[in-house]
């Protein structure tokens, strides 16, 4: 499939079990994990307009940022390869050089040049002076921030929300999504929908401000409910309970999740449903944001 043309709508599937029935709610899953084999889920939605913008500007190289398990680096490398754009990844952690994991290996074999920096340097990734220096160092490439979360990304994600409303015939009361940089949550909010965001990182309270900043809202995003307690120890950390949950979910619904984002979101969402958080009659669409290439064998 051409990465930049409209994707066919991804399936929207009803999920029901004893807990959703008891709570009297309607739960659906938006299968954005099926959108593309390597540029998956929210990364496809978030990159689409930035890639188009890069090509329109005549860029030949894209530079972006990510950690060792970054699905964004993975998707950017695959997209660059498919579109004939060179890619450069600024990777957090000097210690990773020489012991690359499967994500970084995939990036490199898709032609991404990996540039490892210290955690200290990586922290400057939003500073303008630092970005100018990096741009000069790498020949002024088209720059995409960590997670691909730009205003153009919000536009792509908002299309997913509109797609869901079209498929259901009404706008759901809530969208649920995992959150890393908050770009996906911000994109759904920009479409006017209410969002339940589940932080995949420890100390995820910063997401509220980052999401507000992406939306240019000074008073904080009113339609956002942020859950910060389902991180399972932090970013890319998990335990046996989460892996068992993933297995059970797959057995029950025949849908794979992965342990970095989507399993944490579904664990949290089903926990809230069990605890009676939602009014009977509420409709929820949980977004499967993809990332399955990072699935661990449980
Ligand atoms: C990157 C990613 C997220 C986080 O998205 P943000 O827009 O950065 O909040 C969630 N789920 C999956 C599978 C991802 O790869």
């Amino acid at each position: 499939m051409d990465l930049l043309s409209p994707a066919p709508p991804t399936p929207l599937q009803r999920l029901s079990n004893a807990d959703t029935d008891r709570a009297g709610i309607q739960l659906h899953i938006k299968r954005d994990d099926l959108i593309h084999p390597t540029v998956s889920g929210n990364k496809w939605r978030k990159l689409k307009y930035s890639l188009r913008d890069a090509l329109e500007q005549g860029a030949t190289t894209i530079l972006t940022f990510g950690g060792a398990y970054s699905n964004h680096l993975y998707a950017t490398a695959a997209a660059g390869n498919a579109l004939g754009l060179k890619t450069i990844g600024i990777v957090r952690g000097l210690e990773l050089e020489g012991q690359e994991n499967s994500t970084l290996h995939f990036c490199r074999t898709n032609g991404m040049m990996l540039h490892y920096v210290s955690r200290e340097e990586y922290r400057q990734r939003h500073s303008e002076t630092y970005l100018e220096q990096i741009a000069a160092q790498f020949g002024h490439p088209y720059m995409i921030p960590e997670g691909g979360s730009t205003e153009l990304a919000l536009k792509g994600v908002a299309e997913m929300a509109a797609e869901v409303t079209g498929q259901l015939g009404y706008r759901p009361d809530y969208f649920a999504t995992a959150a890393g940089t908050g770009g996906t949550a911000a994109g759904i909010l920009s479409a006017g929908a209410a969002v339940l965001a589940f932080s995949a990182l420890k100390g995820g309270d910063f997401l509220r401000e980052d999401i507000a900043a992406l939306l240019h809202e000074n008073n904080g995003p009113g339609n956002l409910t942020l859950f910060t307690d389902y991180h399972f120890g932090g970013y890319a950390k998990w335990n046996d309970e989460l892996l068992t949950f993933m297995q059970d979910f797959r057995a029950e619904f025949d849908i794979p999740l992965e342990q970095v984002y989507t399993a944490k979101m579904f664990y949290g969402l089903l926990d809230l449903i069990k605890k009676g958080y939602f009014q009977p009659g509420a409709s929820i669409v949980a977004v499967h944001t993809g990332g399955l290439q990072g699935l661990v064998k449980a």
Side-chain angles (χ1 to χ4, degrees), residues 33-53:
D33 55 309
L34 301 174
I35 205 165
H36 190 276
T38 52
V39 187
S40 115
N42 63 345
K43 299 307 182 286
W44 192 96
R45 303 280 186 185
K46 295 207 289 180
L47 279 170
K48 174 179 163 187
Y49 286 104
S50 292
L51 294 170
R52 191 178 280 178
D53 186 46

Side-chain angles (χ1 to χ4, degrees), residues 197-256:
F198 294 83
S199 174
L201 324 93
K202 189 150 73 186
D205 287 311
F206 73 91
L207 283 165
R208 180 173 291 282
E209 258 174 58
D210 286 7
I211 290 169
L214 280 165
L215 291 165
H216 302 294
E217 282 185 20
N218 301 324
N219 303 322
N223 258 345
L224 170 72
T225 312
L226 178 64
F227 298 94
T228 56
D229 290 336
Y230 295 108
H231 57 71
F232 286 84
Y235 180 68
K237 300 221 164 76
W238 60 85
N239 60 18
D240 287 344
E241 190 187 358
L242 191 68
L243 297 182
T244 304
F245 170 78
M246 280 164 53
Q247 284 174 337
D248 292 348
F249 189 95
R250 192 168 191 156
E252 186 167 14
F253 300 116
D254 197 24
I255 296 173

Side-chain angles (χ1 to χ4, degrees), residues 50-157:
S50 292
L51 294 170
R52 191 178 280 178
D53 186 46
L55 291 171
E56 277 167 12
Q57 290 189 24
T60 55
T61 307
I62 287 180
L63 181 146
T64 192
F65 299 82
Y69 297 94
S70 170
N71 293 333
H72 167 67
L73 283 185
Y74 186 102
T76 305
N81 197 3
L83 294 169
L85 287 161
K86 290 197 195 106
T87 53
I88 301 171
I90 308 292
V91 187
R92 178 182 60 218
L94 279 172
E95 75 282 1
L96 295 165
E97 192 156 18
Q99 44 161 323
E100 91 190 354
N101 63 18
S102 62
T103 299
L104 297 174
H105 180 76
F106 175 91
C107 290
R108 203 168 45 75
T109 52
N110 274 267
M112 182 175 263
M113 186 197 129
L114 299 175
H115 179 72
Y116 295 88
V117 300
S118 67
R119 277 151 206 275
E120 203 178 17
E121 180 172 340
Y122 193 82
R123 245 173 259 134
Q124 295 178 265
R125 68 193 175 280
H126 301 301
S127 129
E128 267 184 41
T129 352
Y130 177 67
L131 291 174
E132 274 165 28
Q133 179 199 316
I134 285 283
Q137 184 178 345
F138 291 100
H140 299 281
Y142 186 91
M143 312 263 280
I144 298 180
E146 181 184 60
S149 295
T150 61
E151 272 169 49
L152 291 172
L154 304 199
K155 184 177 167 190
V157 173

Side-chain angles (χ1 to χ4, degrees), residues 42-43 46 71 149 178-184 258 261-262 289-291:
N42 63 345
K43 299 307 182 286
K46 295 207 289 180
N71 293 333
S149 295
T181 63
T184 305
E258 47 66 57
Y261 292 104
T262 48
T289 42

